């Protein structure tokens, strides 16, 4: 079974803080993704990575950056958190097929 | 541009009743189609997928979905709903490569 883990299930941060969300997968998948999920909007892609040190912007990259130094780990960084970044963040991985495998999510609250 | 529409935001069914969740997509060719389920506070779990071939696909937990090209639809069905099926359901479409477009989800409530 594919296992995708996220460093925190719940996180509370203050406006202006730098926030790191970590995602780790154990299946040697090349592709990793970060989504945010908001009620009524479904899932929206923030960034994805198709290889170590490679990244591509998704649909809503503003206010976010990512890092992929090792194949199994993909980090989402909020340089200066704002209240409109309060959301559920989901990490996913994909290998050569199209199916994506999701982690349990991190619910981030920015006060 | 690709888009996915789930017209029902919230559906309530009685336990044991049948279920159909609607999904329509907009894309010029036949995309890859998926249904995911999300239980409260959890990530997404794949229920089933359609890539090609038989247009009626079977998934986990007794779910099935039918691809209808003429209607650009991929509706999810279950003949008898269980209380544990209460969750949010997402239809998703991929045209290949690194894209996966999600609908806005349908929340299912099951009443005893």
């Amino acid at each position: 079974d594919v296992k995708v883990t996220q460093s925190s299930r719940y996180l509370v941060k203050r406006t202006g803080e730098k926030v790191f969300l970590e995602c780790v997968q154990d299946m040697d998948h090349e592709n990793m993704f970060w989504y945010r999920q908001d009620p009524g909007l479904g899932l929206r892609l923030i960034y994805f990575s198709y290889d170590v040190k490679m990244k591509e912007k998704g649909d809503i990259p503003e206010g976010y950056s990512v890092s992929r130094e090792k194949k199994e780990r993909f980090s989402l960084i909020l340089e200066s958190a704002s209240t409109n970044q309060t959301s559920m963040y989901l990490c996913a991985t994909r290998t050569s097929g199209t199916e994506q495998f999701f982690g349990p999510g991190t619910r981030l609250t920015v006060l | 541009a690709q888009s996915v529409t789930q017209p029902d935001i919230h559906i309530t069914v009685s336990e044991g009743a049948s279920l159909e969740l609607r999904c329509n997509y907009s894309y010029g060719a036949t995309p890859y189609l998926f249904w995911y389920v999300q239980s409260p506070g959890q990530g997404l779990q794949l229920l089933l997928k359609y890539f090609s071939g038989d247009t009626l696909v079977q998934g986990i937990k007794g779910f099935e979905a039918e691809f209808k090209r003429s209607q650009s639809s991929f509706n999810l069905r279950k003949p008898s709903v269980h209380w544990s099926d209460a969750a949010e359901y997402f239809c998703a479409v991929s045209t290949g490569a690194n894209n996966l477009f999600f609908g806005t989800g349908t929340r299912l409530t099951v009443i005893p």
Side-chain angles (χ1 to χ4, degrees), chain A residues 2-25:
Chain A
V2 176
K3 190 163 186 183
V4 182
T5 57
Q6 296 184 227
S7 51
S8 305
R9 294 300 302 275
Y10 300 94
L11 208 53
V12 180
K13 296 292 182 180
R14 296 209 174 272
T15 301
E17 279 193 76
K18 191 168 186 175
V19 181
F20 292 87
L21 303 182
E22 299 253 301
C23 176
V24 178
Q25 52 112 348

PDB file of all heavy atoms in Angstrom, chain A residues 2-25:
ATOM      1  N   VAL A   2       0.433   2.215  -0.776  1.00  0.00           N
ATOM      2  CA  VAL A   2       1.113   3.504  -0.788  1.00  0.00           C
ATOM      3  C   VAL A   2       0.838   4.208   0.529  1.00  0.00           C
ATOM      4  O   VAL A   2      -0.282   4.234   1.011  1.00  0.00           O
ATOM      5  CB  VAL A   2       0.599   4.375  -1.942  1.00  0.00           C
ATOM      6  CG1 VAL A   2       1.235   5.757  -1.884  1.00  0.00           C
ATOM      7  CG2 VAL A   2       0.861   3.706  -3.274  1.00  0.00           C
ATOM      8  N   LYS A   3       1.883   4.770   1.092  1.00  0.00           N
ATOM      9  CA  LYS A   3       1.680   5.528   2.321  1.00  0.00           C
ATOM     10  C   LYS A   3       2.203   6.943   2.118  1.00  0.00           C
ATOM     11  O   LYS A   3       3.365   7.157   1.769  1.00  0.00           O
ATOM     12  CB  LYS A   3       2.405   4.869   3.482  1.00  0.00           C
ATOM     13  CG  LYS A   3       2.012   5.483   4.816  1.00  0.00           C
ATOM     14  CD  LYS A   3       2.379   4.614   5.988  1.00  0.00           C
ATOM     15  CE  LYS A   3       1.847   5.203   7.273  1.00  0.00           C
ATOM     16  NZ  LYS A   3       2.247   4.438   8.447  1.00  0.00           N
ATOM     17  N   VAL A   4       1.304   7.894   2.340  1.00  0.00           N
ATOM     18  CA  VAL A   4       1.654   9.305   2.260  1.00  0.00           C
ATOM     19  C   VAL A   4       1.358   9.907   3.626  1.00  0.00           C
ATOM     20  O   VAL A   4       0.212   9.853   4.093  1.00  0.00           O
ATOM     21  CB  VAL A   4       0.833  10.027   1.176  1.00  0.00           C
ATOM     22  CG1 VAL A   4       1.256  11.493   1.083  1.00  0.00           C
ATOM     23  CG2 VAL A   4       0.997   9.343  -0.177  1.00  0.00           C
ATOM     24  N   THR A   5       2.371  10.461   4.247  1.00  0.00           N
ATOM     25  CA  THR A   5       2.179  11.039   5.575  1.00  0.00           C
ATOM     26  C   THR A   5       2.452  12.532   5.537  1.00  0.00           C
ATOM     27  O   THR A   5       3.276  13.012   4.767  1.00  0.00           O
ATOM     28  CB  THR A   5       3.095  10.369   6.614  1.00  0.00           C
ATOM     29  OG1 THR A   5       4.457  10.509   6.185  1.00  0.00           O
ATOM     30  CG2 THR A   5       2.787   8.895   6.755  1.00  0.00           C
ATOM     31  N   GLN A   6       1.719  13.235   6.373  1.00  0.00           N
ATOM     32  CA  GLN A   6       1.898  14.672   6.508  1.00  0.00           C
ATOM     33  C   GLN A   6       2.270  14.968   7.956  1.00  0.00           C
ATOM     34  O   GLN A   6       1.743  14.342   8.877  1.00  0.00           O
ATOM     35  CB  GLN A   6       0.637  15.405   6.074  1.00  0.00           C
ATOM     36  CG  GLN A   6       0.349  15.196   4.588  1.00  0.00           C
ATOM     37  CD  GLN A   6      -0.844  15.984   4.077  1.00  0.00           C
ATOM     38  OE1 GLN A   6      -1.693  15.438   3.382  1.00  0.00           O
ATOM     39  NE2 GLN A   6      -0.923  17.262   4.412  1.00  0.00           N
ATOM     40  N   SER A   7       3.147  15.924   8.137  1.00  0.00           N
ATOM     41  CA  SER A   7       3.808  16.117   9.428  1.00  0.00           C
ATOM     42  C   SER A   7       2.846  16.466  10.549  1.00  0.00           C
ATOM     43  O   SER A   7       3.056  16.091  11.694  1.00  0.00           O
ATOM     44  CB  SER A   7       4.881  17.198   9.322  1.00  0.00           C
ATOM     45  OG  SER A   7       4.333  18.366   8.723  1.00  0.00           O
ATOM     46  N   SER A   8       1.776  17.180  10.250  1.00  0.00           N
ATOM     47  CA  SER A   8       0.837  17.578  11.290  1.00  0.00           C
ATOM     48  C   SER A   8      -0.588  17.382  10.799  1.00  0.00           C
ATOM     49  O   SER A   8      -0.865  17.564   9.616  1.00  0.00           O
ATOM     50  CB  SER A   8       1.021  19.045  11.675  1.00  0.00           C
ATOM     51  OG  SER A   8       2.345  19.325  12.047  1.00  0.00           O
ATOM     52  N   ARG A   9      -1.504  17.008  11.666  1.00  0.00           N
ATOM     53  CA  ARG A   9      -2.910  16.954  11.283  1.00  0.00           C
ATOM     54  C   ARG A   9      -3.567  18.313  11.503  1.00  0.00           C
ATOM     55  O   ARG A   9      -4.434  18.720  10.736  1.00  0.00           O
ATOM     56  CB  ARG A   9      -3.635  15.902  12.114  1.00  0.00           C
ATOM     57  CG  ARG A   9      -3.184  14.475  11.842  1.00  0.00           C
ATOM     58  CD  ARG A   9      -3.413  14.066  10.387  1.00  0.00           C
ATOM     59  NE  ARG A   9      -4.793  14.181   9.977  1.00  0.00           N
ATOM     60  CZ  ARG A   9      -5.708  13.249  10.168  1.00  0.00           C
ATOM     61  NH1 ARG A   9      -5.404  12.129  10.785  1.00  0.00           N
ATOM     62  NH2 ARG A   9      -6.949  13.426   9.735  1.00  0.00           N
ATOM     63  N   TYR A  10      -3.152  18.984  12.572  1.00  0.00           N
ATOM     64  CA  TYR A  10      -3.698  20.307  12.889  1.00  0.00           C
ATOM     65  C   TYR A  10      -2.543  21.240  13.227  1.00  0.00           C
ATOM     66  O   TYR A  10      -1.593  20.829  13.887  1.00  0.00           O
ATOM     67  CB  TYR A  10      -4.662  20.236  14.080  1.00  0.00           C
ATOM     68  CG  TYR A  10      -5.847  19.337  13.846  1.00  0.00           C
ATOM     69  CD1 TYR A  10      -5.811  18.001  14.249  1.00  0.00           C
ATOM     70  CD2 TYR A  10      -6.995  19.811  13.216  1.00  0.00           C
ATOM     71  CE1 TYR A  10      -6.894  17.169  14.021  1.00  0.00           C
ATOM     72  CE2 TYR A  10      -8.076  18.980  12.981  1.00  0.00           C
ATOM     73  CZ  TYR A  10      -8.025  17.665  13.387  1.00  0.00           C
ATOM     74  OH  TYR A  10      -9.095  16.843  13.160  1.00  0.00           O
ATOM     75  N   LEU A  11      -2.661  22.479  12.758  1.00  0.00           N
ATOM     76  CA  LEU A  11      -1.605  23.459  12.980  1.00  0.00           C
ATOM     77  C   LEU A  11      -2.254  24.814  13.163  1.00  0.00           C
ATOM     78  O   LEU A  11      -3.150  25.176  12.396  1.00  0.00           O
ATOM     79  CB  LEU A  11      -0.677  23.475  11.761  1.00  0.00           C
ATOM     80  CG  LEU A  11       0.777  23.866  11.887  1.00  0.00           C
ATOM     81  CD1 LEU A  11       1.471  23.054  12.974  1.00  0.00           C
ATOM     82  CD2 LEU A  11       1.477  23.699  10.556  1.00  0.00           C
ATOM     83  N   VAL A  12      -1.793  25.549  14.173  1.00  0.00           N
ATOM     84  CA  VAL A  12      -2.280  26.909  14.394  1.00  0.00           C
ATOM     85  C   VAL A  12      -1.072  27.835  14.378  1.00  0.00           C
ATOM     86  O   VAL A  12      -0.116  27.626  15.136  1.00  0.00           O
ATOM     87  CB  VAL A  12      -3.038  27.031  15.725  1.00  0.00           C
ATOM     88  CG1 VAL A  12      -3.526  28.478  15.909  1.00  0.00           C
ATOM     89  CG2 VAL A  12      -4.213  26.074  15.772  1.00  0.00           C
ATOM     90  N   LYS A  13      -1.118  28.832  13.529  1.00  0.00           N
ATOM     91  CA  LYS A  13      -0.022  29.780  13.401  1.00  0.00           C
ATOM     92  C   LYS A  13      -0.560  31.211  13.443  1.00  0.00           C
ATOM     93  O   LYS A  13      -1.767  31.443  13.299  1.00  0.00           O
ATOM     94  CB  LYS A  13       0.725  29.546  12.079  1.00  0.00           C
ATOM     95  CG  LYS A  13       1.410  28.198  11.992  1.00  0.00           C
ATOM     96  CD  LYS A  13       2.562  28.104  12.964  1.00  0.00           C
ATOM     97  CE  LYS A  13       3.284  26.773  12.840  1.00  0.00           C
ATOM     98  NZ  LYS A  13       4.421  26.685  13.801  1.00  0.00           N
ATOM     99  N   ARG A  14       0.357  32.141  13.633  1.00  0.00           N
ATOM    100  CA  ARG A  14      -0.040  33.551  13.665  1.00  0.00           C
ATOM    101  C   ARG A  14       0.320  34.221  12.343  1.00  0.00           C
ATOM    102  O   ARG A  14       1.247  33.813  11.641  1.00  0.00           O
ATOM    103  CB  ARG A  14       0.653  34.250  14.822  1.00  0.00           C
ATOM    104  CG  ARG A  14       0.224  33.709  16.168  1.00  0.00           C
ATOM    105  CD  ARG A  14       0.308  34.762  17.264  1.00  0.00           C
ATOM    106  NE  ARG A  14      -0.251  34.239  18.520  1.00  0.00           N
ATOM    107  CZ  ARG A  14      -1.539  34.334  18.819  1.00  0.00           C
ATOM    108  NH1 ARG A  14      -2.386  34.921  18.000  1.00  0.00           N
ATOM    109  NH2 ARG A  14      -1.978  33.841  19.963  1.00  0.00           N
ATOM    110  N   THR A  15      -0.409  35.249  12.024  1.00  0.00           N
ATOM    111  CA  THR A  15      -0.157  36.031  10.815  1.00  0.00           C
ATOM    112  C   THR A  15       1.294  36.494  10.783  1.00  0.00           C
ATOM    113  O   THR A  15       1.829  36.969  11.794  1.00  0.00           O
ATOM    114  CB  THR A  15      -1.088  37.259  10.791  1.00  0.00           C
ATOM    115  OG1 THR A  15      -2.439  36.816  10.815  1.00  0.00           O
ATOM    116  CG2 THR A  15      -0.868  38.073   9.519  1.00  0.00           C
ATOM    117  N   GLY A  16       1.920  36.301   9.614  1.00  0.00           N
ATOM    118  CA  GLY A  16       3.299  36.724   9.440  1.00  0.00           C
ATOM    119  C   GLY A  16       4.333  35.644   9.724  1.00  0.00           C
ATOM    120  O   GLY A  16       5.508  35.807   9.371  1.00  0.00           O
ATOM    121  N   GLU A  17       3.919  34.563  10.362  1.00  0.00           N
ATOM    122  CA  GLU A  17       4.857  33.487  10.651  1.00  0.00           C
ATOM    123  C   GLU A  17       5.225  32.732   9.368  1.00  0.00           C
ATOM    124  O   GLU A  17       4.435  32.661   8.417  1.00  0.00           O
ATOM    125  CB  GLU A  17       4.235  32.488  11.630  1.00  0.00           C
ATOM    126  CG  GLU A  17       4.297  32.906  13.078  1.00  0.00           C
ATOM    127  CD  GLU A  17       3.947  31.730  13.999  1.00  0.00           C
ATOM    128  OE1 GLU A  17       4.800  30.843  14.170  1.00  0.00           O
ATOM    129  OE2 GLU A  17       2.825  31.733  14.534  1.00  0.00           O
ATOM    130  N   LYS A  18       6.388  32.120   9.357  1.00  0.00           N
ATOM    131  CA  LYS A  18       6.797  31.230   8.283  1.00  0.00           C
ATOM    132  C   LYS A  18       6.347  29.831   8.664  1.00  0.00           C
ATOM    133  O   LYS A  18       6.615  29.368   9.776  1.00  0.00           O
ATOM    134  CB  LYS A  18       8.306  31.271   8.089  1.00  0.00           C
ATOM    135  CG  LYS A  18       8.781  30.572   6.825  1.00  0.00           C
ATOM    136  CD  LYS A  18      10.249  30.898   6.544  1.00  0.00           C
ATOM    137  CE  LYS A  18      10.696  30.318   5.220  1.00  0.00           C
ATOM    138  NZ  LYS A  18      12.078  30.708   4.869  1.00  0.00           N
ATOM    139  N   VAL A  19       5.657  29.178   7.748  1.00  0.00           N
ATOM    140  CA  VAL A  19       5.045  27.886   8.055  1.00  0.00           C
ATOM    141  C   VAL A  19       5.577  26.833   7.083  1.00  0.00           C
ATOM    142  O   VAL A  19       5.668  27.073   5.872  1.00  0.00           O
ATOM    143  CB  VAL A  19       3.512  27.958   7.932  1.00  0.00           C
ATOM    144  CG1 VAL A  19       2.881  26.612   8.281  1.00  0.00           C
ATOM    145  CG2 VAL A  19       2.948  29.051   8.831  1.00  0.00           C
ATOM    146  N   PHE A  20       5.933  25.693   7.631  1.00  0.00           N
ATOM    147  CA  PHE A  20       6.403  24.566   6.824  1.00  0.00           C
ATOM    148  C   PHE A  20       5.417  23.411   6.978  1.00  0.00           C
ATOM    149  O   PHE A  20       5.128  22.971   8.086  1.00  0.00           O
ATOM    150  CB  PHE A  20       7.783  24.092   7.296  1.00  0.00           C
ATOM    151  CG  PHE A  20       8.887  25.061   7.041  1.00  0.00           C
ATOM    152  CD1 PHE A  20       9.165  26.056   7.960  1.00  0.00           C
ATOM    153  CD2 PHE A  20       9.653  24.978   5.887  1.00  0.00           C
ATOM    154  CE1 PHE A  20      10.196  26.959   7.739  1.00  0.00           C
ATOM    155  CE2 PHE A  20      10.683  25.878   5.661  1.00  0.00           C
ATOM    156  CZ  PHE A  20      10.947  26.869   6.579  1.00  0.00           C
ATOM    157  N   LEU A  21       4.936  22.911   5.858  1.00  0.00           N
ATOM    158  CA  LEU A  21       4.125  21.697   5.859  1.00  0.00           C
ATOM    159  C   LEU A  21       4.929  20.629   5.129  1.00  0.00           C
ATOM    160  O   LEU A  21       5.393  20.855   4.002  1.00  0.00           O
ATOM    161  CB  LEU A  21       2.782  21.920   5.161  1.00  0.00           C
ATOM    162  CG  LEU A  21       1.902  23.039   5.716  1.00  0.00           C
ATOM    163  CD1 LEU A  21       0.589  23.095   4.957  1.00  0.00           C
ATOM    164  CD2 LEU A  21       1.645  22.872   7.197  1.00  0.00           C
ATOM    165  N   GLU A  22       5.068  19.487   5.786  1.00  0.00           N
ATOM    166  CA  GLU A  22       5.909  18.438   5.222  1.00  0.00           C
ATOM    167  C   GLU A  22       5.069  17.246   4.781  1.00  0.00           C
ATOM    168  O   GLU A  22       4.100  16.877   5.434  1.00  0.00           O
ATOM    169  CB  GLU A  22       6.905  17.969   6.273  1.00  0.00           C
ATOM    170  CG  GLU A  22       7.840  19.042   6.760  1.00  0.00           C
ATOM    171  CD  GLU A  22       9.236  18.842   6.207  1.00  0.00           C
ATOM    172  OE1 GLU A  22       9.813  17.769   6.480  1.00  0.00           O
ATOM    173  OE2 GLU A  22       9.735  19.740   5.529  1.00  0.00           O
ATOM    174  N   CYS A  23       5.507  16.642   3.672  1.00  0.00           N
ATOM    175  CA  CYS A  23       4.850  15.453   3.148  1.00  0.00           C
ATOM    176  C   CYS A  23       5.917  14.422   2.813  1.00  0.00           C
ATOM    177  O   CYS A  23       6.936  14.767   2.175  1.00  0.00           O
ATOM    178  CB  CYS A  23       4.069  15.823   1.891  1.00  0.00           C
ATOM    179  SG  CYS A  23       3.293  14.430   1.054  1.00  0.00           S
ATOM    180  N   VAL A  24       5.691  13.193   3.241  1.00  0.00           N
ATOM    181  CA  VAL A  24       6.648  12.124   2.992  1.00  0.00           C
ATOM    182  C   VAL A  24       5.908  10.930   2.411  1.00  0.00           C
ATOM    183  O   VAL A  24       4.843  10.556   2.915  1.00  0.00           O
ATOM    184  CB  VAL A  24       7.372  11.714   4.293  1.00  0.00           C
ATOM    185  CG1 VAL A  24       8.333  10.559   4.016  1.00  0.00           C
ATOM    186  CG2 VAL A  24       8.117  12.891   4.889  1.00  0.00           C
ATOM    187  N   GLN A  25       6.484  10.339   1.360  1.00  0.00           N
ATOM    188  CA  GLN A  25       5.895   9.136   0.754  1.00  0.00           C
ATOM    189  C   GLN A  25       6.924   8.022   0.734  1.00  0.00           C
ATOM    190  O   GLN A  25       8.127   8.272   0.672  1.00  0.00           O
ATOM    191  CB  GLN A  25       5.399   9.455  -0.661  1.00  0.00           C
ATOM    192  CG  GLN A  25       6.446  10.103  -1.538  1.00  0.00           C
ATOM    193  CD  GLN A  25       6.946   9.277  -2.682  1.00  0.00           C
ATOM    194  OE1 GLN A  25       6.680   8.075  -2.759  1.00  0.00           O
ATOM    195  NE2 GLN A  25       7.653   9.901  -3.601  1.00  0.00           N
TER     196      GLN A  25
END
